[in-house]
Amino acid sequence: MEKENIAVGLDIGTTKIVAMIGKKNEYGKLEILGVGKSKSLGVARGVVNNITQTIHSIQQAILEAENNSGYKIKDVVVGIAGQHIRSIQHSDYISRSNAEEVIGGKDIDLLINQVHKLAMLPGEEIIHVLPQEFKIDGQSDIKEPIGMYGGRLESSFHVVVGQASSIRNVGRCIQSSGIELSGLTLEPLASADAVLSQEEKEAGVALIDIGGGTTDLAIFKDGIIRHTAVIPFGGNVITDDIKEGCSIIEKQAELLKIKFGSAWPGENKDNEIVSIPGLRGREPKEISLKNLSKIIHARVVEIVEQVFAEIKAYGHEDPRKKLIAGIVLTGGGANLKHIKQLVEYITGMDTRIGYPNEHLAGNSDEEISSPLYATAVGLVMNSIENKTQSAVRKETTVVPEKVTFKQERTFEPFDIPKPEAEITFDKIEEKEEIKIEVEETVNKIDSTEAKIRRSFFDKYVDKIKEFLDNAE
């Protein structure tokens, strides 16, 4: 009997950490076996700034995913994001000694390794080297060079670069949580795998992933990644603006944004008011929904305009680079009411909300189909593509009294906080009070590019493991 290929993705975000366990079913769809989610403590704008808190949050998410699925996690594919990420375009070539010999994988590897020798700024490392078009002896627009003949092999590359210290901090958090790191993927690339179709990538599309701390952009044209960028703003700055503008606490601001928030101020009437419970017996605070929408609108416009500036920098206005499929919005921020209409208004481009349900099995939980889980689903798909055996079935699902991890450190059971009493807001409309309970919501081708990404992951992960071992 063929061994199950169980894949695990770990999305370390600014607001939440998601561990997702999945496998491919007999129809080629992704079957989610278990999901664990925890509040992200120790991550700011996609970058780890508190190792201890991040380890604790990762352990909570891993433990919940294991208990939900009945599998024990061994290793994970992790998403990399953060404001330190940047991308560059680069062209390079090799001269082959024997032009009569068929071009093979070793020639591609040689070309890739040559790109890895590029001089970077101090403290930076190359994360991804993604080939675009190849050129053989002057013949251009070749997507698959393997099997062809030629003396000079040339290619243009999309090179993704990040701070080495930030990447190693993520590796340290994973290892200290008692699991291994099997791969690294740029988060917008993972989200793109989950929500974009091959037709959209061919036609030209911009994926905008609005997370808690950052907004990630990935542009595809002719089926090839053309541009990536990370904007250091996300849903958290909208919440902060609501907190300051309405003089309320952060938790109330987040719930207001989720339940009543809109990116389009004209939607709300002047007499629509929400009553917020006062702190420690103080009088309730009344907030106009029109003012709330104005605060959200101002910040969302700023984020979208920065993303649109990146799309223009790619060259969208050039007819040859035009993004025919427009924009796809995903991430938690895509759940904001009327954000699709606002993006269309600002950019003039066709826009849709990206859901990862196209790749999910039919019996999947409705919650997992949310844009909120797009990156996690993409990371699981990436883990399946790498053919990793990331989890094994547990003998028993009983949680032991103590959990001992590989580094000979013993972690006591977590004190999971008891759920707080539900916060209720009173919505007042035309002097009629209505009490509303608000819940807290927290056709792939095995191409040269795919092979290169897989082989590069192996080398890069080995590099991080070697660094972590030497650091101990």
Side-chain angles (χ1 to χ4, degrees):
M1 183 179 170
E2 192 181 339
K3 201 173 184 182
E4 276 187 314
N5 179 20
I6 307 298
V8 183
L10 185 67
D11 175 15
I12 303 176
T14 304
T15 53
K16 68 179 189 328
I17 291 177
V18 177
M20 188 176 282
I21 305 174
K23 66 174 183 178
K24 266 195 176 177
N25 65 13
E26 63 269 31
Y27 305 109
K29 295 290 186 180
L30 185 62
E31 184 181 331
I32 304 301
L33 303 171
V35 178
K37 188 170 71 171
S38 67
K39 187 171 175 58
S40 184
L41 304 169
V43 181
R45 291 188 173 170
V47 179
V48 174
N49 62 5
N50 187 314
I51 293 281
T52 308
Q53 286 185 329
T54 305
I55 291 169
H56 183 72
S57 297
I58 290 172
Q59 288 168 347
Q60 280 187 305
I62 291 289
L63 195 65
E64 187 182 330
E66 288 180 340
N67 290 341
N68 287 343
S69 66
Y71 283 83
K72 178 73 179 169
I73 294 173
K74 298 191 301 180
D75 56 62
V76 293
V77 169
V78 180
I80 291 286
Q83 56 188 356
H84 61 96
I85 301 290
R86 69 185 184 95
S87 62
I88 55 175
Q89 296 295 123
H90 176 71
S91 293
D92 217 325
Y93 74 93
I94 57 167
S95 295
R96 304 177 67 239
S97 56
N98 186 2
E100 300 302 316
E101 197 175 290
V102 170
I103 294 171
K106 62 176 194 258
D107 296 303
I108 307 293
D109 289 340
L110 190 63
L111 187 53
I112 294 289
N113 291 335
Q114 199 159 288
V115 177
H116 275 283
K117 293 172 186 172
L118 273 177
M120 292 290 116
L121 294 174
E124 283 190 334
E125 273 190 19
I126 293 173
I127 300 171
H128 288 294
V129 175
L130 304 171
Q132 298 182 317
E133 289 102 349
F134 289 89
K135 191 185 282 188
I136 301 173
D137 292 344
Q139 181 188 345
S140 58
D141 295 335
I142 295 171
K143 291 186 178 179
E144 183 56 85
I146 292 176
M148 300 183 74
Y149 293 92
R152 179 185 165 109
L153 177 63
E154 192 176 346
S155 179
S156 55
F157 294 94
H158 183 76
V159 184
V160 181
V161 181
Q163 285 290 338
S165 57
S166 298
I167 298 165
R168 284 172 181 155
N169 283 339
V170 170
R172 170 61 68 191
C173 289
I174 300 297
Q175 195 176 57
S176 298
S177 300
I179 49 180
E180 296 295 326
L181 183 65
S182 66
L184 289 163
T185 299
L186 189 66
E187 291 200 351
L189 295 180
S191 302
D193 287 343
V195 303
L196 297 182
S197 68
Q198 190 60 33
E199 289 81 4
E200 284 176 317
K201 290 180 181 179
E202 289 287 345
V205 65
L207 176 79
I208 303 174
D209 185 344
I210 307 172
T214 59
T215 298
D216 303 330
L217 170 70
I219 296 177
F220 292 84
K221 179 73 174 175
D222 299 327
I224 297 166
I225 182 77
R226 299 294 183 181
H227 186 72
T228 52
V230 177
I231 312 296
F233 299 109
N236 283 3
V237 291
I238 301 172
T239 303
D240 288 341
D241 285 356
I242 297 169
K243 184 178 77 171
E244 298 297 328
C246 300
S247 301
I248 55 178
I249 63 173
E250 188 174 345
K251 184 179 288 185
Q252 291 173 332
E254 181 68 20
L255 292 179
L256 260 182
K257 180 182 76 174
I258 292 167
K259 188 68 180 175
F260 300 109
S262 168
W264 201 265
E267 181 69 18
N268 299 109
K269 298 172 187 171
D270 292 329
N271 61 354
E272 285 185 301
I273 293 169
V274 171
S275 179
I276 306 253
L279 298 174
R280 285 280 183 176
R282 292 175 178 83
E283 289 295 312
K285 188 182 289 287
E286 292 186 350
I287 292 168
S288 162
L289 289 189
K290 197 171 191 70
N291 288 340
L292 175 68
S293 293
K294 283 180 179 176
I295 292 169
I296 294 171
H297 174 80
R299 182 59 83 174
V300 174
V301 166
E302 184 185 353
I303 292 171
V304 174
E305 283 181 343
Q306 286 205 42
V307 174
F308 193 39
E310 288 285 347
I311 294 173
K312 285 178 178 173
Y314 149 75
H316 163 66
E317 291 167 346
D318 182 340
R320 290 171 300 173
K321 295 184 174 182
K322 190 172 179 62
L323 305 178
I324 297 167
I327 290 171
V328 175
L329 296 171
T330 194
N335 287 324
L336 186 63
K337 201 188 295 181
H338 300 121
I339 191 167
K340 170 184 175 292
Q341 289 85 342
L342 181 63
V343 171
E344 284 182 336
Y345 177 76
I346 293 172
T347 64
M349 298 168 71
D350 289 339
T351 305
R352 74 170 178 91
I353 306 297
Y355 299 93
N357 51 6
E358 183 187 333
H359 300 284
L360 295 175
N363 59 351
S364 297
D365 192 333
E366 191 177 333
E367 187 189 5
I368 298 166
S369 300
S370 166
L372 198 70
Y373 292 99
T375 302
V377 170
L379 291 170
V380 174
M381 290 171 63
N382 191 274
S383 181
I384 287 174
E385 187 183 309
N386 293 345
K387 294 182 169 54
T388 51
Q389 180 63 30
S390 299
V392 292
R393 197 179 290 277
K394 281 203 239 178
E395 298 283 332
T396 173
T397 54
V398 177
V399 181
E401 291 182 6
K402 284 189 178 183
V403 184
T404 306
F405 296 117
K406 293 180 184 177
Q407 289 190 308
E408 297 178 359
R409 292 175 59 188
T410 303
F411 295 89
E412 296 295 334
F414 306 121
D415 293 326
I416 308 294
K418 292 180 181 176
E420 297 179 15
E422 282 190 341
I423 299 175
T424 58
F425 295 154
D426 293 331
K427 181 176 178 183
I428 304 169
E429 183 175 353
E430 298 173 359
K431 298 188 178 180
E432 290 183 14
E433 291 196 2
I434 308 165
K435 194 170 184 183
I436 299 175
E437 290 187 356
V438 180
E439 296 179 353
E440 185 176 358
T441 58
V442 181
N443 37 59
K444 301 266 303 169
I445 300 168
D446 194 16
S447 64
T448 300
E449 179 184 342
K451 292 171 189 167
I452 289 165
R453 280 174 62 179
R454 285 201 293 272
S455 65
F456 172 63
F457 287 146
D458 297 337
K459 292 176 190 173
Y460 199 84
V461 170
D462 290 342
K463 199 173 173 185
I464 288 184
K465 285 179 182 173
E466 184 184 343
F467 171 81
L468 294 174
D469 293 339
N470 293 337
E472 290 179 4

